[in-house]
Amino acid sequence: MTDKGDQRPDTRSEGEKYGTPRAHDPHFRGPVVNRSCTDVLCCMIFMLFIMAYILLGLAAWVNGDPRRVAYPTDSQGYFCGQKGTPNENKSILFYFNMLTCTSPSVVVNLQCPTTQICVSKCPERFLTFMEIQFKYKNDSEYWTYYSQFCRTTFLKPVETLSQVLLDNDCPSAIYPSKPFLQRCFPDFSTKNGTLTVGNKTVFDDGSGKTRNAAELRKAANGINKALDARAIGVKVFEDYATTWYWILIGLTIAMFLSWMFVMLLRFTAGLLFWIFTFGVIGIIAYGIWRCYLEYSRLEEQPGSHLNAYTIGIQTDISMYFRLKQTWFALMIILCLLELFIILMLIFLRTRIRISIALLKEGSKAIGYIPSTLIYPALTFFFLSVCISYWAVVALYLATSGAPIYKVIAPQGQCEHENKTCDPVGFNTTEIAKACPGAQCHFAFYGGKSLYHQYITTFQLLNLFVFLWLINFVIALGQCALAGAFASYYWALKKPDDIPPYPLFTAFGRAIRYHTGSLAFGSLILAIIQMFRLILEYLDKRLQKAQSNISKFLKCCLRCCFWCLEKAVKFLNRNAYVMMAIYGKNFCKSARDAFNLLMRNILKIAVMDRVTDFVLILGKILVAGCIGVLAFLLFTERLPVIIEGPTSLNYYWVPLLTVIVGSYIIAHGFFSVYAMCIETIFICFLEDLERNDGSAEKPYYMSQSLMKIMNRRNVETKKQ
């Protein structure tokens, strides 16, 4: 038993009191080297999923056929334009009766209830089968032209119209068409504000009825817009072909500007923050002064003394700005906001100084470890591989199986409709007799095997593993960068004590020891993202059948999952920092990071806001500078300095490409910087809690941070 009188003073550091892992000796000088593998079970599960993913890709490759997407398919399930087949020279799909198609989506999905055949070119004139029966006697060229749009070749049109319609050997009529998406669509145009097809407003549909262009347009709704989009696409391609080297030059300049911004932050971080802060204070002060002027001006205006309750709800918003009460309320709100900002600056000035000092320290760290700025390229490569593999597997899964044929009745009045059928000899079956006019058309690709029955499940598995891999790649980058920057912080004499190749060493440690932990953290994120995607899918499918209550619940679930994803991402990032330093498993690292952050919640809030402001400002600055230069160049406003590309169709196409590309490049550079700041901040908090400045436990922070925190090492005191 311990004697109560033998109580000794508690000399433990704050970190020890709260149970944060010590994990270092008095000579601790960086991330723990002697560590063991963590979360081995999750690592094994992750490897099994990857092996299953590879097997799924092989199975999809064996059973799938992407030609089914590249080539249109006729009613018999044969590809149009495929080499080595009778349709090799017939690359365009032709619809016998476009009027039976009710929307472009039905047409593109090959579900239009009419016969479809492969042809070498689209019709260029109006002709009906009844006209051909009379005209071919005088000129056989008519029948030669018409017969290329029939399923079988006849020497002459001996069948009656009713027999042709019943057997589906030839279309009852053809119209001027143009190929689009390898399919023949009506050649619509506008003449004097009237819709025409082939310069005609009305035409014979081949069955004795007179139709107008509007009816045909309804069947192929939106095709004109798609054709216009194709013309725009050609012009956009021409612009890219003219300006591609200027775009590359602009992106290269963006890389240089991003690097310069990160390097110069050690000198400009404080200046940028205070300029922005005092700018906001000045703008709010101007708003207060403006509200006071408007309030004084309305003193003499009749009716300005009324209040918002008296005038009620008005659709004209300007009515409210004619009231003194409105400007007085705005002035009070702005005054409170101004007071709040000033008080925050006064009471949080020390934490703001710490944040600015850490921003400068992050710039120094990247300057000493410049290889970290190249790492986003490796992350981009890994992400590209994951995205490409997912897209290929999804494509092969979607095209797996044999052709499936379904009974289609043009009038929609057949008890056998949507039943599986065989196109060979369909006209002699009982279904054809029971449902006159019914047809056996290709519907989709599928099968009855166990593999084909679980295609949907395989697609979901493909999506889930894809999300898991994407999050794993991002987590690997965060852990590797955290390890490199932790090596910088825990070097007592910078840069002499920084170990060689810190990024390569940290990357190797993350792969060798913490694959399971990284997989664990990314698995949690993947599950949350999967739930969000399923929720979005159900929302799209059930949009028309939703009540107000279900819409409210949907919005609540969306908000909850969004917040949960953001919180898990934040916690994971800090857990990876602790993991990179101490080498513990995911759960312990997340717990230690959470406890450390909760003990320093105000520092975290200020640090995040200051960092977010500087990074957003940097991205806007880089993208804005490159955008202004690109605008002047592509609009030929710099002819004296440099001669840019001329005669562009749409100058905004390369302009937007340069701006978006510059923003993405800046985001890649600043994501490294953000991880650097977060790592140094975690190390800084650990340093404060674990060390006391003695010879055994010296502070590792920079001299500027020591000065702000009023801390010193023993050696510094002696000097």
Side-chain angles (χ1 to χ4, degrees), residues 85 278 293 306 326 357 374 410 492 531 556 567 579 592 622 684 690:
T85 65
F278 287 117
L293 289 181
L306 299 175
T326 302
I374 307 174
L492 189 59
F531 273 112
C556 292
M579 190 188 305
D592 298 336
V622 171
F684 169 71
R690 295 176 176 285

Side-chain angles (χ1 to χ4, degrees), residues 9 43 53 86 89 122 130 250 259 263 274 284 287 291 315 353 396 398 405 441 453 469-470 582 596 618 661 679:
C43 180
Y53 199 29
N89 298 321
C122 295
M130 295 181 67
W259 177 78
M263 292 297 100
W274 291 116
I284 296 176
C291 291
T315 55
R353 290 175 62 200
Y396 273 87
Y405 302 91
H441 285 178
Q453 292 176 7
L469 288 174
I470 289 292
Y582 298 114
L596 182 65
T679 302

Side-chain angles (χ1 to χ4, degrees), residues 208-254:
K209 296 181 180 179
T210 301
R211 302 293 186 104
N212 57 48
E215 292 181 78
L216 194 58
R217 175 66 177 270
K218 185 179 178 181
N221 185 29
I223 299 302
N224 267 351
K225 294 181 181 178
L227 292 173
D228 293 339
R230 181 182 63 172
I232 293 174
V234 173
K235 293 180 180 179
V236 168
F237 179 79
E238 292 175 354
D239 289 342
Y240 277 128
T242 306
T243 61
W244 65 270
Y245 52 92
W246 291 108
I247 293 174
L248 290 180
I249 292 173
L251 297 181
T252 304
I253 297 174

Side-chain angles (χ1 to χ4, degrees), residues 110-130:
L110 302 175
Q111 298 299 320
C112 185
T114 186
T115 302
Q116 302 135 34
I117 64 171
C118 300
V119 295
S120 57
K121 63 179 182 179
C122 295
E124 299 171 347
R125 64 181 89 166
F126 284 102
L127 279 175
T128 66
F129 189 80
M130 295 181 67

Side-chain angles (χ1 to χ4, degrees), residues 246-488:
W246 291 108
I247 293 174
L248 290 180
I249 292 173
L251 297 181
T252 304
I253 297 174
M255 292 178 62
F256 177 75
L257 285 180
S258 300
W259 177 78
M260 285 294 296
F261 187 86
V262 172
M263 292 297 100
L264 292 176
L265 274 177
R266 69 179 72 180
F267 308 109
T268 60
L271 180 64
L272 289 174
F273 175 78
W274 291 116
I275 287 176
F276 173 79
T277 302
F278 287 117
V280 171
I281 292 175
I283 291 172
I284 296 176
Y286 172 78
I288 295 171
W289 177 71
R290 184 69 182 177
C291 291
Y292 174 75
L293 289 181
E294 291 293 332
Y295 179 82
S296 301
R297 184 181 64 83
L298 291 173
E299 283 282 358
E300 302 175 357
Q301 297 291 333
S304 62
H305 63 281
L306 299 175
N307 54 41
Y309 179 78
T310 304
I311 66 173
I313 299 175
Q314 299 291 330
T315 55
D316 186 5
I317 303 298
S318 62
M319 290 288 295
Y320 296 103
F321 292 100
R322 299 172 188 172
L323 305 177
K324 291 194 306 180
Q325 185 189 61
T326 302
W327 293 103
F328 182 76
L330 288 175
M331 185 171 62
I332 294 298
I333 293 172
L334 291 177
C335 286
L336 292 175
L337 182 60
E338 185 89 330
L339 181 63
F340 175 77
I341 293 176
I342 293 174
L343 290 176
M344 288 297 101
L345 290 175
I346 293 173
F347 289 106
L348 299 177
R349 61 187 184 278
T350 302
R351 291 181 174 85
I352 292 174
R353 290 175 62 200
I354 293 173
S355 301
I356 294 173
L358 288 173
L359 289 174
K360 296 178 179 179
E361 196 69 19
S363 179
K364 291 181 183 179
I366 293 177
Y368 289 130
I369 315 176
S371 58
T372 53
L373 291 176
I374 307 174
Y375 190 85
L378 183 62
T379 300
F380 177 77
F381 172 75
F382 286 147
L383 292 178
S384 300
V385 171
C386 294
I387 293 171
S388 301
Y389 187 82
W390 166 77
V392 170
V393 172
L395 176 63
Y396 273 87
L397 284 173
T399 57
S400 295
I404 301 297
Y405 302 91
K406 295 284 188 178
V407 176
I408 296 179
Q411 304 301 325
Q413 297 178 350
C414 177
E415 60 180 346
H416 301 287
E417 190 172 12
N418 290 327
K419 287 186 178 180
T420 305
C421 59
D422 185 356
V424 179
F426 175 76
N427 290 337
T428 61
T429 61
E430 295 296 328
I431 297 178
K433 296 177 181 178
C435 303
Q439 303 167 16
C440 183
H441 285 178
F442 166 78
F444 54 86
Y445 293 98
K448 297 182 179 180
S449 66
L450 186 65
Y451 170 82
H452 295 105
Q453 292 176 7
Y454 286 94
I455 288 292
T456 304
T457 304
F458 292 150
Q459 286 283 22
L460 290 174
L461 176 64
N462 180 33
L463 178 60
F464 176 74
V465 181
F466 165 71
L467 294 175
W468 196 355
L469 288 174
I470 289 292
N471 288 300
F472 177 82
V473 170
I474 295 173
L476 177 61
Q478 292 173 343
C479 189
L481 290 172
F485 293 125
S487 299
Y488 163 82

